Amino acid sequence: MQGSTKRFLDAIIFDLDGVLTDTAEYHFQAWKRLADEEGIPFTREDNEHLRGVSRRESLLLLLKGRTLTEDQMVEWMDRKNGYYREMIHNVSSADLLPGAIPLLNEIRSAGLKIAIASASRNAQDVMNGLGIMDYVDALIDGNQIARAKPAPDLFVEAAHALDIPPGRCAVVEDALAGIEAANAAGMLAIALGPEERFGGAANLVVPDLSSLHLSNITHAATWRVVEDHFDPERQRTYESMLTQGNGYLGTRATFEERNPGDQQATMVHGLWDDAPIVFTELVNSPDWTDLAITVNGQRFSMQAAGISDYVRALDLRTGVLFRRLRWQPKESDIVLDLYFSRLPSLADPHAMAVNVRVDCVRGSADLNITTSLNAHIDNTGLLHLHVIEQVSDAEIAFVLVETRTSQKRLAMAMHTTTSDHETVISENDCPGCPGQRIRAHLNQGEALTVDKIVTVYTSRDTDQPLQAARSSVRQVAAEGSTILLANTSAWEEFWRDADVIIEGDDESQLAIRHAVYQLRIAASSTDEYVSIAAKTLSGFGYRGHAFWDTDIFILPFFIFTQPRIARNMLMYRWHTFEGARRNAQQQGFRGARFAWESAETGDEVTPPWVADPKDPHKLIRIWPGDIELHITADVAYAIWQYWQVTSDDEFMRDYGVPMILETAVYWADRAEPEGDHYSIRDVIGPDEYHDHVDNNVYTNWLVRWHLLKALELRDWLYQQDSEKAKALDKQLGLDEEAFAQWVDIADRLVILQDPQIALFEQFEGFFKRKEVNWPDYENRTKSMQLILGIEGANEHQVLKQPDVIILLCLFRDQFDPQTWQSNWDYYILRTDHSYGSSLGPAIHAWAAAEMGLLDAAYEHFLRAARTDLMDIRGNTAEGVHGASMGGLWQAVVFGFAGLRVKDGTYSTSPRLPAPWKRLTFHFYLRGERQTVDLHQEPVPSTTSNNTAGSTR
Ligand code: G6P
Ligand code: MG
């Protein structure tokens, strides 16, 4: 099996002193000798602060406030340098620190470039002495650089010399100043030394070089999603991919200063408003990131000339989005370094922070910065909000808006402060975007930092959203860096439970972390009235509506790692159950039917008509809202799975069983008696290339399961609480006759399967449809439905996504190997893997892993992993693919690890893709935290508690 060859780093930049050689010790000895001569106390501890900093800065630190004339300074520095040079005179390869040569060799043979970036003016001599110049592609030292660390210049220069973008470089450093410089450059920061020295600033800390391997460095890169160069054509893709959030809101990664053609969006859960065609949609909320910079009259934007060293990175570990670039405004001698970072806090979901720093590297600049809460926004052209009230003064601004039809209110407040430099701040009460205006004059070497704190509340949170936003914004601002610290520890806590560690395959590792991050920010930790939309809160696609994507694809991740959130998401189905009742009623059936697309009320909100992608003047009838019925059983399945894993009896008793029973009533009414059997006709199964089909196996199998589970659960409820069971019977009109009918339907519902070879027929007549000659379409760039047309696809045996195969996965232990094999063989060849549904690849990966087809499993897995990170389907711009992300987690945990839960115990049957050396994850089983740690070597299956062996 070929492992993924995708890598996220192209160069490793090494600091020299204290990293490759212990000349850091010589620097100390030299300073110490000087200090002793001058009678200045100087200890090893004092020396810690001198690590990595320039000669002059070192002297100033050593002087601790004592003053010298410039001539004395020069003389002292020269003297120290003399002592230092005496010591390095004899430097040889014997002075290389242990591990240096093996690591350099490893990097070289992996084809990555190597640079040395040292503040020392003696670096070249030391390198010559060490005899390792042949290993390096570039050496940048203190002679070539004006600004010392923690300025990023040394490392950025090294990246230039290597011709590698900063975002694809890692730095290995022993000094805090160096780690800060690496961070400032937007590079991966690898620290050598004690943890305490770096205060959490590094991406990875190891004690010394001998414990560092290239694989540690590249694995550390899997916490960052990096945009290493600015490509205007791909902005909308990155906006989705780098979406930030906290489960209360999601914000696309548009730039603070905006960019032509971008699609700014902040989606707040539950903020619905009516919309034509799609009934209702999540409303785009005011842009809290808004901040514009003008320098000597020139407005900064990514379109401006003179931009270099661009890098943007989303740190999945902390949820912070960082951007760095250098700007040289045209026809000026000004050089500025701009840094932007922002975060919505996971600890306080109502709080966000934006931090912008402008460093004047050269020239002098008149800065004019405006920050605002920008309510001039729309939902792809549709205006939902009007401003009720706005205020701004020199510190605080707020805006209160209301949705046009649903009359929900949202308030945002912001607080702006500046530091590092004198500024004049004034109000900027522009209509619809209140905020502040900041003026400052920066000379060379000066910097300005702007901190913007924003809070947001809606009328769903409180009757007084404006008051809540205003009072909290002052508080959050007064607490200063608390917002950062609390956010970091909230994420830490989350990752302790939710991280999935894959060693040996960085692409898979990054993909699963990105998926887990995106899933987490899509889910409210407290709100039972919202769910997760197909595109999460990351874009306008599907308008914030929830599909079966949530219950079948996304929910398992939460059930196993964040059961409390999973419960909320199922409670959403309960709180919208009235809508489900109306959906059944509207089609003349009893019971309740979940909407194919669900929003605020649970009523069906699938648009019945949409514009034809081939001809926008034509409309196409969209049928899932009418006949894609399986979602009703899918939700029952999700409830059951939640209960199996959590044993939350209270939920099952009060909400789960009532929902499962009332939806069973719907199925009993919907199933059509036909002589000696029952049919369910005129439906759409998971494979939506075929509509108006009869007896879809997936649907019928789930209906049968649903009815039998309903009976089982009704008995369980009766034992738990007979009064409640009886009341429910009465309410739903259930009696022995009804239960007998459920059994009868379950017994005699058509399941189309060839008894000889165990092949299911996806629906009646599927096998009679035309075959596609696949070789004709090998190099296509669009879906088979677009190529063949809706009718054409319908007439062929071509699947948009797994239908029978997902059924096999969901009920995996009920099928024998022959059933797996025949159905896999048949359907896998007839599926539109590349441009059909994004829901497919992860499920195919799971199924293939289940069958031990590891090459195929890995191929499908990578296709799922690349859905958003490489935008291989070309539609990430509309938002990330939530179901694919949830499916990715299932492919890892259910597929490759083979995790199964049964009767309160679990088992694994690992079958890891060849490149994976190790797979580790955690989950909760009945409230107890479990750890699964699997290695590539054939190890015996692990089993919890006292159950024997694995289930397979
Ligand atoms: C490196 C060392 C520092 C030293 C600096 C300048 O960064 O870690 O301790 O002060 O280089 O070195 P130089 O040899 O030019 O004085
Ligand atoms: Mg150093």
Side-chain angles (χ1 to χ4, degrees):
M1 181 186 304
Q2 253 276 299
S4 147
T5 50
K6 190 163 170 56
R7 66 184 194 203
F8 306 107
L9 295 172
D10 291 328
I12 315 290
I13 302 174
F14 287 90
D15 171 45
L16 182 59
D17 298 328
V19 170
L20 293 176
T21 170
D22 205 7
T23 39
E25 177 63 22
Y26 298 161
H27 279 291
F28 168 64
Q29 299 291 347
W31 286 120
K32 176 76 181 144
R33 187 165 160 196
L34 175 81
D36 288 350
E37 284 164 5
E38 298 297 338
I40 297 175
F42 184 67
T43 63
R44 250 178 212 285
E45 218 164 77
D46 296 332
N47 184 61
E48 271 298 295
H49 305 287
L50 273 61
R51 259 177 202 281
V53 303
S54 69
R55 201 179 298 173
R56 180 175 288 270
E57 183 68 15
S58 296
L59 176 57
L60 291 172
L61 288 167
L62 180 135
L63 288 172
K64 290 190 198 123
R66 296 172 182 81
T67 47
L68 297 180
T69 65
E70 177 58 24
D71 287 350
Q72 281 173 314
M73 293 263 296
V74 171
E75 191 274 321
W76 287 32
M77 286 191 288
D78 285 350
R79 199 168 355 135
K80 177 263 172 179
N81 197 40
Y83 299 151
Y84 178 70
R85 292 194 62 84
E86 269 172 38
M87 283 185 264
I88 60 167
H89 189 69
N90 295 323
V91 164
S92 73
S93 57
D95 292 285
L96 280 165
L97 285 170
I101 294 294
L103 181 60
L104 293 173
N105 273 325
E106 210 188 336
I107 297 169
R108 283 238 76 110
S109 51
L112 277 76
K113 290 188 174 172
I114 297 176
I116 301 293
S118 166
S120 169
R121 290 165 191 267
N122 298 299
Q124 183 69 64
D125 293 337
V126 172
M127 284 294 290
N128 291 341
L130 293 172
I132 52 169
M133 268 318 280
D134 282 353
Y135 284 92
V136 307
D137 302 289
L139 184 147
I140 305 293
D141 66 20
N143 299 305
Q144 286 147 275
I145 255 14
R147 296 193 307 167
K149 300 166 194 174
D153 301 20
L154 255 177
F155 298 138
V156 174
E157 268 316 308
H160 285 173
L162 297 174
D163 199 20
I164 303 283
R168 299 188 65 83
C169 297
V171 166
V172 184
E173 255 290 351
D174 69 314
L176 175 60
I179 291 298
E180 288 169 349
N183 285 333
M187 297 178 183
L188 188 79
I190 309 291
L192 300 184
E195 289 261 10
E196 314 81 73
R197 190 188 286 162
F198 306 102
N203 295 95
L204 173 71
V205 184
V206 292
D208 51 43
L209 209 57
S210 59
S211 25
L212 190 63
H213 297 280
L214 179 59
S215 58
N216 310 131
I217 301 176
T218 62
H219 194 254
T222 60
W223 281 109
R224 309 197 317 160
V225 182
V226 175
E227 183 187 31
D228 56 48
H229 67 281
F230 175 67
D231 175 357
E233 299 302 315
R234 299 195 63 208
Q235 276 317 290
R236 285 194 181 186
T237 301
Y238 275 99
E239 287 163 25
S240 299
M241 198 195 303
L242 305 178
T243 290
Q244 294 172 282
N246 54 20
Y248 178 82
L249 55 74
T251 297
R252 285 169 63 79
T254 45
F255 298 124
E256 285 77 359
E257 72 284 358
R258 303 295 302 275
N259 198 51
D262 65 0
Q263 205 163 53
Q264 185 282 327
T266 287
M267 301 292 190
V268 176
H269 261 311
L271 207 71
W272 297 102
D273 195 30
D274 295 6
I277 301 166
V278 295
F279 300 102
T280 181
E281 65 181 355
L282 275 185
V283 169
N284 188 7
S285 297
D287 180 11
W288 55 274
T289 71
D290 187 282
L291 186 146
I293 301 174
T294 305
V295 175
N296 293 7
Q298 285 189 50
R299 171 89 184 237
F300 165 71
S301 91
M302 288 306 299
Q303 310 285 311
I307 290 177
S308 61
D309 307 321
Y310 173 85
V311 56
R312 191 153 63 135
L314 175 62
D315 184 347
L316 302 170
R317 205 194 286 264
T318 59
V320 174
L321 180 64
F322 171 81
R323 172 166 56 131
R324 189 264 172 184
L325 55 96
R326 174 162 284 192
W327 183 37
Q328 191 160 0
K330 64 174 187 288
E331 287 153 26
S332 79
D333 64 348
I334 305 171
V335 177
L336 301 171
D337 281 352
L338 303 184
Y339 301 91
F340 300 81
S341 62
R342 67 192 201 210
L343 75 122
S345 169
L346 187 67
D348 174 359
H350 299 279
M352 293 89 84
V354 183
N355 171 283
V356 177
R357 181 183 152 107
V358 182
D359 268 15
C360 185
V361 180
R362 200 171 73 204
S364 71
D366 273 322
L367 286 185
N368 193 330
I369 298 177
T370 56
T371 69
S372 88
L373 301 168
N374 194 342
H376 291 287
I377 38 143
D378 58 67
N379 277 51
T380 56
L382 187 66
L383 296 174
H384 282 290
L385 297 175
H386 59 104
V387 175
I388 307 267
E389 202 183 336
Q390 72 169 69
V391 162
S392 57
D393 63 29
E395 196 179 53
I396 301 274
F398 66 78
V399 63
L400 176 67
V401 293
E402 189 177 81
T403 57
R404 285 185 191 269
T405 324
S406 62
Q407 293 180 337
K408 294 186 197 313
R409 290 189 167 197
L410 176 141
M412 273 185 192
M414 67 179 248
H415 178 282
T416 305
T417 45
T418 60
S419 52
D420 300 332
H421 200 269
E422 246 171 63
T423 53
V424 179
I425 309 190
S426 57
E427 62 168 63
N428 185 27
D429 206 17
C430 130
C433 55
Q436 284 89 33
R437 179 181 299 279
I438 302 158
R439 287 170 217 271
H441 181 82
L442 295 189
N443 289 316
Q444 182 165 325
E446 293 177 339
L448 171 67
T449 301
V450 179
D451 275 297
K452 172 177 177 182
I453 296 289
V454 180
T455 54
V456 56
Y457 285 84
T458 74
S459 51
R460 297 183 67 250
D461 306 315
T462 157
D463 290 342
Q464 303 288 341
L466 186 53
Q467 269 177 19
R470 286 170 69 178
S471 60
S472 64
V473 83
R474 286 188 186 279
Q475 199 185 328
V476 176
E479 287 167 4
S481 58
T482 309
I483 181 170
L484 299 177
L485 299 174
N487 172 67
T488 304
S489 55
W491 276 109
E492 242 171 54
E493 195 184 314
F494 168 74
W495 285 113
R496 249 198 306 277
D497 286 337
D499 193 19
V500 174
I501 297 169
I502 297 171
E503 286 177 11
D505 178 1
D506 294 334
E507 183 178 8
S508 298
Q509 175 68 84
L510 179 68
I512 192 73
R513 283 188 172 147
H514 180 242
V516 165
Y517 170 83
Q518 289 294 339
L519 291 174
R520 176 61 191 89
I521 65 171
S524 169
S525 7
T526 50
D527 197 336
E528 292 183 352
Y529 291 80
V530 300
S531 183
I532 294 184
K535 303 279 184 196
T536 68
L537 297 170
S538 68
F540 293 105
Y542 297 120
R543 306 286 148 180
H545 298 176
F547 296 65
W548 75 315
D549 304 36
T550 312
D551 307 277
I552 293 295
F553 293 82
I554 294 175
L555 200 63
F557 162 74
F558 289 101
I559 290 176
F560 280 83
T561 69
Q562 311 282 307
R564 183 69 226 174
I565 292 182
R567 188 182 195 275
N568 290 344
M569 286 162 64
L570 291 172
M571 285 304 291
Y572 158 82
R573 293 292 185 187
W574 173 255
H575 292 303
T576 58
F577 206 58
E578 269 306 319
R581 290 185 178 118
R582 286 189 291 269
N583 294 332
Q585 230 170 52
Q586 255 162 30
Q587 294 185 334
F589 294 104
R590 299 195 298 123
R593 172 177 84 82
F594 289 110
W596 178 247
E597 291 188 31
S598 185
E600 187 172 23
T601 61
D603 289 280
E604 186 59 69
V605 291
T606 307
W609 298 93
V610 300
D612 185 342
K614 282 188 175 158
D615 177 0
H617 301 295
K618 278 201 205 134
L619 287 177
I620 302 178
R621 180 72 165 88
I622 298 293
W623 289 104
D626 305 69
I627 57 173
E628 192 154 354
L629 306 181
H630 61 82
I631 181 148
T632 294
D634 299 332
V635 175
Y637 183 93
I639 292 171
W640 169 257
Q641 190 183 37
Y642 169 76
W643 189 48
Q644 288 303 292
V645 179
T646 62
S647 294
D648 183 350
D649 290 349
E650 184 212 313
F651 169 84
M652 204 56 176
R653 186 191 64 213
D654 296 342
Y655 314 107
V657 178
M659 283 195 277
I660 288 181
L661 290 188
E662 199 164 341
T663 43
V665 169
Y666 165 75
W667 286 128
D669 204 17
R670 178 64 177 76
E672 301 147 65
E674 293 176 348
D676 62 351
H677 62 266
Y678 287 85
S679 284
I680 299 181
R681 299 201 178 273
D682 194 22
V683 299
I684 302 178
D687 163 30
E688 294 170 328
Y689 282 176
H690 300 93
D691 53 23
H692 301 293
V693 304
D694 298 328
N695 289 321
N696 167 247
V697 174
Y698 175 90
T699 306
N700 287 15
W701 188 285
L702 268 100
V703 169
R704 185 171 78 182
W705 173 88
H706 188 156
L707 290 169
L708 294 175
K709 268 304 163 236
L711 288 163
E712 228 177 276
L713 286 167
R714 195 266 169 200
D715 285 349
W716 175 81
L717 184 64
Y718 195 83
Q719 280 158 25
Q720 294 281 308
D721 185 341
S722 59
E723 288 311 308
K724 200 173 175 84
K726 284 187 216 156
L728 200 56
D729 288 350
K730 192 158 172 235
Q731 182 203 329
L732 302 178
L734 295 174
D735 52 20
E736 287 312 317
E737 197 185 325
F739 295 139
Q741 192 211 4
W742 291 8
V743 174
D744 193 41
I745 297 172
D747 274 355
R748 296 193 291 128
L749 189 58
V750 170
I751 302 284
L752 299 164
Q753 188 177 24
D754 180 328
Q756 296 296 310
I757 54 166
L759 179 65
F760 288 111
E761 185 170 20
Q762 189 177 301
F763 54 80
E764 258 174 52
F766 181 77
F767 293 153
K768 293 200 201 90
R769 308 245 166 156
K770 286 183 258 180
E771 291 279 13
V772 166
N773 186 33
W774 287 95
D776 294 351
Y777 302 99
E778 219 157 74
N779 297 321
R780 70 205 159 87
T781 54
K782 47 190 179 183
S783 77
M784 288 304 289
Q785 193 183 46
L786 276 177
I787 294 172
L788 301 173
I790 294 178
E791 280 317 308
N794 213 341
E795 286 162 9
H796 282 84
Q797 293 194 43
V798 50
L799 278 68
K800 179 180 173 186
Q801 65 193 68
D803 196 306
V804 169
I805 290 177
I806 190 170
L807 175 69
L808 300 182
C809 288
L810 296 184
F811 297 92
R812 51 189 166 162
D813 293 323
Q814 296 182 25
F815 301 111
D816 60 18
Q818 192 201 1
T819 311
W820 274 93
Q821 195 67 49
S822 328
N823 286 284
W824 170 270
D825 289 347
Y826 196 84
Y827 289 105
I828 203 71
L829 295 175
R830 291 168 174 79
T831 304
D832 187 355
H833 295 289
S834 38
Y835 295 99
S837 162
S838 66
L839 274 56
I843 298 302
H844 289 131
W846 173 8
E850 203 69 54
M851 299 174 66
L853 304 174
L854 285 182
D855 282 342
Y858 190 58
E859 184 195 325
H860 288 288
F861 181 83
L862 285 184
R863 191 175 287 125
R866 292 171 179 168
T867 304
D868 290 312
L869 287 173
M870 289 173 71
D871 193 12
I872 54 170
R873 317 182 86 82
N875 61 359
T876 296
E878 292 159 30
V880 298
H881 297 77
S884 173
M885 290 171 161
L888 205 65
W889 186 89
Q890 296 187 65
V892 172
V893 169
F894 301 150
F896 295 128
L899 179 72
R900 285 172 161 71
V901 163
K902 210 175 172 211
D903 304 329
T905 62
Y906 79 90
S907 63
T908 58
S909 41
R911 44 236 156 171
L912 306 186
W916 294 17
K917 296 197 176 75
R918 181 177 172 209
L919 167 63
T920 309
F921 60 89
H922 313 280
F923 68 97
Y924 283 89
L925 182 58
R926 299 193 170 171
E928 301 257 321
R929 189 173 190 272
Q930 313 288 341
T931 296
V932 173
D933 192 358
L934 305 169
H935 293 258
Q936 183 61 251
E937 307 83 66
V939 285
S941 299
T942 57
T943 303
S944 70
N945 306 336
N946 45 13
T947 49
S950 91
T951 53
R952 283 165 62 91

